[in-house]
Amino acid sequence: MKQKEIFMAYINNNRDRLQEDVRQLQQRVRYRDCDAVDCLELSLALERLNSFEEFARNSMAILRLNVPDPVTYVSIDTNYAKNRVELERNKGKE
């Protein structure tokens, strides 16, 4: 793998992990009585995701990297590739 591919994999994996954290915390808040700690955890998770998104944009701009076309995601796990394509299609619709 080239260093650019490794960096892009790092960006994608961390973004996926942070989005999953936010999704789980939103589910927790949605389906039970939440308290201040739950709200704070969700707020912090959203801030981590937003900060990472800004870091990723700035880093890719500095390194002049392009975001790959979603259909080019290749993985041994077909569910991963399908999930990445679906995330790219739904980006901005939330």
Side-chain angles (χ1 to χ4, degrees), residues 73 77-89:
Y73 288 111
D77 181 12
T78 57
N79 289 331
Y80 174 77
K82 288 177 186 176
N83 185 34
R84 286 300 310 160
V85 169
E86 206 51 44
L87 285 173
E88 291 296 326
R89 284 184 184 150

Side-chain angles (χ1 to χ4, degrees), residues 2-48:
K2 296 180 183 177
Q3 288 183 343
K4 289 181 180 181
E5 291 172 344
I6 292 170
F7 181 73
M8 291 304 291
Y10 163 78
I11 295 288
N12 287 332
N13 289 335
N14 274 342
R15 182 181 295 124
D16 290 345
R17 182 182 55 81
L18 291 169
Q19 287 174 340
E20 180 62 21
D21 288 346
V22 168
R23 189 191 65 73
Q24 285 178 352
L25 289 167
Q26 286 173 335
Q27 293 293 332
R28 190 181 305 165
V29 168
R30 185 175 297 139
Y31 293 116
R32 72 173 197 191
D33 292 334
C34 63
D35 57 2
V37 174
D38 291 328
C39 294
L40 181 61
E41 285 178 342
L42 178 56
S43 177
L44 290 172
L46 286 168
E47 192 57 36
R48 280 192 300 269

